[in-house]
Amino acid sequence: MATLEFHVQDDRGALSIRRVEAEDIPGAIGQLTAAGLKPIEYREVPPSPSRRRRVPEAQLTTFYRGLATSLAEGVPLVDAVSLIARESHHPALQVIMADVAGRVNEGVSLDRALAAWPAAFPAADIAIVRSGRAGGTLPEALLLLAEHRETTGEMSRRVASALVYPAVLAVVVGLLLSIFLTFMLPRFMDFFEELGMGADKLPVLTLMVAWI
């Protein structure tokens, strides 16, 4: 049993996307024809990944921005999501978007379709999408999400970069200090003893370092 995604046309000429499960392509076409739909093109839908699978931040940002742009240009929602699914180079996002497009085509709202993939779309994102849909400002809400993710991503990269130098410096200093205490300091103590400078004649700070 395979899952096939068809671009179909009804008797009024309206285009839509339908998913069909069938043993073969003729069987799937037969189901669509019986429903009064004319198949135009199809693709086989790969097995769905785990719904716990995450999508990289950069991919989500691209999705939100691309969908916002398409909707602002008047592209129907299901067509916009389907287009992103076809153009995405990330396998998991392709499957997720195809599933979302199928749900939207069946009348499910975008926020509910996204909520079916909780690991990919955080609850806060879904809430913003729901608010945008309810207020008639879905493109603006999606653009807001894209810009928010870009900003937080840039801040995370800057923080990570800023922490690299201190971390490397701390490792180097620790390594040098360990070498000094392990190998160099005992030699200095032997040298002092050869000079007749016992522990009672050494500075307190030198003795404290030696005791470490």
Side-chain angles (χ1 to χ4, degrees):
M1 184 75 69
T3 301
L4 303 171
E5 183 180 274
F6 283 83
H7 287 249
V8 299
Q9 185 177 40
D10 61 20
D11 54 2
R12 295 174 297 177
L15 300 176
S16 61
I17 297 176
R18 291 296 177 88
R19 282 192 174 188
V20 178
E21 290 188 355
E23 295 292 341
D24 50 28
I25 296 174
I29 293 177
Q31 294 182 39
L32 294 171
T33 303
L37 300 172
K38 178 184 177 181
I40 299 176
E41 61 179 6
Y42 75 93
R43 73 179 185 91
E44 186 171 350
V45 178
S48 177
S50 170
R51 292 185 183 273
R52 295 183 178 181
R53 188 170 179 178
R54 300 183 64 85
V55 175
E57 287 285 328
Q59 297 292 329
L60 279 183
T61 300
T62 301
F63 162 66
Y64 288 139
R65 185 172 293 279
L67 187 57
T69 301
S70 297
L71 294 178
E73 293 175 351
V75 179
L77 178 58
V78 65
D79 293 341
V81 176
S82 299
L83 178 62
I84 294 174
R86 290 196 298 270
E87 293 183 347
S88 174
H89 299 294
H90 193 274
L93 187 60
Q94 285 182 337
V95 176
I96 292 173
M97 287 302 96
D99 178 79
V100 170
R103 293 172 184 271
V104 171
N105 189 60
E106 293 171 358
V108 177
S109 63
L110 178 61
D111 51 283
R112 289 181 58 195
L114 297 180
W117 298 87
F121 301 99
D125 289 14
I126 294 173
I128 292 175
V129 172
R130 182 182 302 112
S131 176
R133 173 182 61 81
T137 57
L138 184 55
E140 291 81 358
L142 292 168
L143 185 59
L144 176 64
L145 283 173
E147 293 176 346
H148 170 70
R149 289 190 171 277
E150 287 175 347
T151 301
T152 54
E154 181 63 24
M155 290 180 60
S156 298
R157 287 190 292 270
R158 289 183 179 182
V159 170
S161 298
L163 293 177
V164 168
Y165 177 74
V168 172
L169 184 61
V171 171
V172 172
V173 170
L175 181 61
L176 293 176
L177 184 59
S178 298
I179 293 174
F180 173 76
L181 294 176
T182 304
F183 300 102
M184 302 301 295
L185 185 59
R187 294 184 181 182
F188 278 111
M189 297 302 295
D190 293 339
F191 177 71
F192 290 144
E193 290 181 0
E194 291 177 0
L195 294 178
M197 299 176 64
D200 56 335
K201 297 181 180 180
L202 291 176
V204 176
L205 182 60
T206 303
L207 293 174
M208 291 177 62
V209 173
W211 290 338
I212 294 176

